[in-house]
Amino acid sequence: MNAHISTIGIVGARGHTGAELIRLIAAHPALALAFVSSRELDGQRVSEHSDAYAGELRYESLDPAAVAAKRADVVILALPNGKAAPYVEAIEQAAPDTLIVDLSADYRFDPAWYYGLPELTRGDWRGERHISNPGCYATAMELSIAPLKDLLAAPPVCFGVSGYSGAGTTPSDKNDPEKLRDNLMPYALTGHVHEKEASFRLGIPVEFMPHVAPHFRGLTVTTNLYLARPLKREDVLQRFHAAYDSEKLVSVTDEAPWVSRIAHRHHAEVGGFAVSADGKRVVVVATLDNLLKGAATQAMQNINRALGVDEYTTIPVPL
C-alpha cells in the first residue's frame, strides 16, 4: 500500500451511519479525517461522541461552499434524501477531482454516477469520482435475487424487516421505541425507494414490503422467487456459492440467517434456500447490518477501491 494519506470529510455526521464511518476512518491507515459537518453538534469535539476517534477535531456547521472550500480528497454525503445536490455542485466547481460518495438515494438512478455494490458492480467501475452508495434494503434484495435473475418467471416478492436505526435520527413513529415496543410497523408497502432501486439495478420488477421492528440495528429480507423451470436445492446453492464464495463480505449459509447474529458485523449473510415440492419456487433469506454493509462498510469498500488500496482496508472481515 502506498504511504499517501488522503483527507476525508463527512457531511451529515450526526447520524448513526456517520458514527460508523468515523469508526472505520479512525482505524484506516490511508485516510485522515479532515472535517465532520453537523449543524446540531457544531463546536463539540468529535472524540466526545466517538470512542474510536482521538483528536482535537470538532464538528462544524458547513454549508456547501464551506464544504467545497475544505478541498478534502474524499467527501462522504450522509444526508437525508433530496439534500445532496447543492454540495455536489459546490464541490464540482471548487474541486472537481474530489471523490464524492453519496449515501442517499439521490444519484442511484443517475447513469453518470457509479453505483457501488461491489459484489455485483465491481467490474463496472471506470474510475468515476462520483459514487452512489446503495440502499441497505436494496443491497440485501439485489444480493438475494441476482444469482437466479435469469431464471425468473415472475417479479420477486420481498418481505423486509429492519431495526429502527434505519429510520434515522429525526423523530418519527418509525424510530420511537415506545410505539415500536412489542410491535411490527408496516410502511411504504408499494413504491418504496429501495423497491424502485432494486428494480432499476436488476433490470426486472421487484416487489417489496418493508416493516420496522423494535430492535435497533440489522435487517432481514425474505424473498420469494418463482422460477421458469424447476431447480433442485443443490442447483440453487451452487449458483449462490458460485456468485459469492470469493466474496469476503457475503456469506452463503445453509440455514436461513438470523438478524440477531448480524448486528455490528460488516458482511451480509444469504441463506435458507427453501425449494417448493415442484422445484419452481425458491425462498431466500438475507440479513445485513443496515448501518454497516447497508451503508458505512459498503461506502468504505467503494472509497478503498477508488483510492487504489485493498478493498477491505479497515473493514473487519469475518473469518
Side-chain angles (χ1 to χ4, degrees):
M1 191 191 294
N2 59 21
H4 175 69
I5 303 289
S6 298
T7 56
I8 187 167
I10 307 171
V11 181
R14 179 177 79 108
H16 304 308
T17 300
E20 298 297 345
L21 286 164
I22 289 168
R23 180 176 300 280
L24 288 167
I25 292 163
H28 200 297
L31 288 174
L33 197 57
F35 69 86
V36 280
S37 175
S38 167
R39 220 172 38 236
E40 292 87 347
L41 301 178
D42 186 22
Q44 298 180 39
R45 270 208 178 94
V46 175
S47 58
E48 290 169 13
H49 294 269
S50 172
D51 58 2
Y53 182 82
E56 294 302 307
L57 194 66
R58 292 176 183 267
Y59 293 95
E60 301 173 84
S61 181
L62 302 172
D63 66 9
V67 167
K70 294 279 189 182
R71 292 185 172 272
D73 297 315
V74 184
V75 175
I76 301 175
L77 302 177
L79 294 162
N81 292 341
K83 306 277 192 203
Y87 292 91
V88 173
E89 286 160 21
I91 294 166
E92 281 176 341
Q93 285 181 352
D97 291 338
T98 304
L99 176 67
I100 305 174
V101 181
D102 181 42
L103 270 57
S104 80
D106 291 7
Y107 296 98
R108 291 178 193 155
F109 303 87
D110 186 333
W113 284 59
Y114 169 68
Y115 180 76
L117 204 175
E119 290 78 13
L120 299 180
T121 68
R122 194 180 282 119
D124 302 339
W125 187 61
R126 299 289 177 265
E128 290 94 343
R129 308 303 287 167
H130 291 175
I131 298 175
S132 175
N133 215 55
C136 52
Y137 268 133
T139 296
M141 286 190 276
E142 290 172 55
L143 291 173
S144 300
I145 296 164
L148 291 172
K149 189 178 92 163
D150 61 317
L151 286 181
L152 295 178
V157 180
C158 307
F159 178 91
V161 180
S162 88
Y164 63 86
S165 59
T169 49
T170 304
S172 75
D173 285 355
K174 295 202 296 283
N175 58 18
D176 180 338
E178 274 309 305
K179 288 189 173 139
L180 284 166
R181 187 192 304 271
D182 301 325
N183 193 10
L184 188 66
M185 210 178 273
Y187 68 101
L189 295 173
T190 62
H192 188 285
V193 67
H194 292 184
E195 175 182 276
K196 295 175 183 170
E197 177 185 342
S199 301
F200 179 73
R201 288 293 157 187
L202 290 167
I204 55 169
V206 175
E207 298 170 0
F208 172 50
M209 299 158 293
H211 301 68
V212 64
H215 64 277
F216 178 67
R217 60 196 298 157
L219 63 79
T220 183
V221 174
T222 301
T223 298
N224 217 5
L225 298 158
Y226 297 100
L227 307 183
R229 62 177 171 87
L231 282 188
K232 295 190 172 71
R233 187 174 191 266
E234 50 266 34
D235 302 329
V236 175
L237 271 165
Q238 192 270 326
R239 279 180 170 244
F240 278 83
H241 282 296
Y244 301 130
D245 277 1
S246 63
E247 296 294 345
K248 294 186 179 179
L249 295 181
V250 179
S251 160
V252 176
T253 64
D254 193 58
E255 298 283 308
W258 291 3
V259 74
S260 61
R261 294 178 182 161
I262 206 69
H264 302 284
R265 309 292 298 277
H266 292 264
H267 66 293
E269 294 192 348
V270 185
F273 309 113
V275 178
S276 63
D278 68 359
K280 292 181 97 171
R281 175 178 163 232
V282 180
V283 183
V284 178
V285 179
T287 61
L288 54 78
D289 187 316
N290 51 298
L291 304 178
L292 296 176
K293 183 57 179 159
T297 303
Q298 193 138 268
M300 196 53 66
Q301 284 178 272
N302 288 316
I303 290 164
N304 284 334
R305 294 184 60 240
L307 294 178
V309 302
D310 182 273
E311 183 178 316
Y312 305 101
T313 304
T314 202
I315 298 169
V317 171
L319 295 173

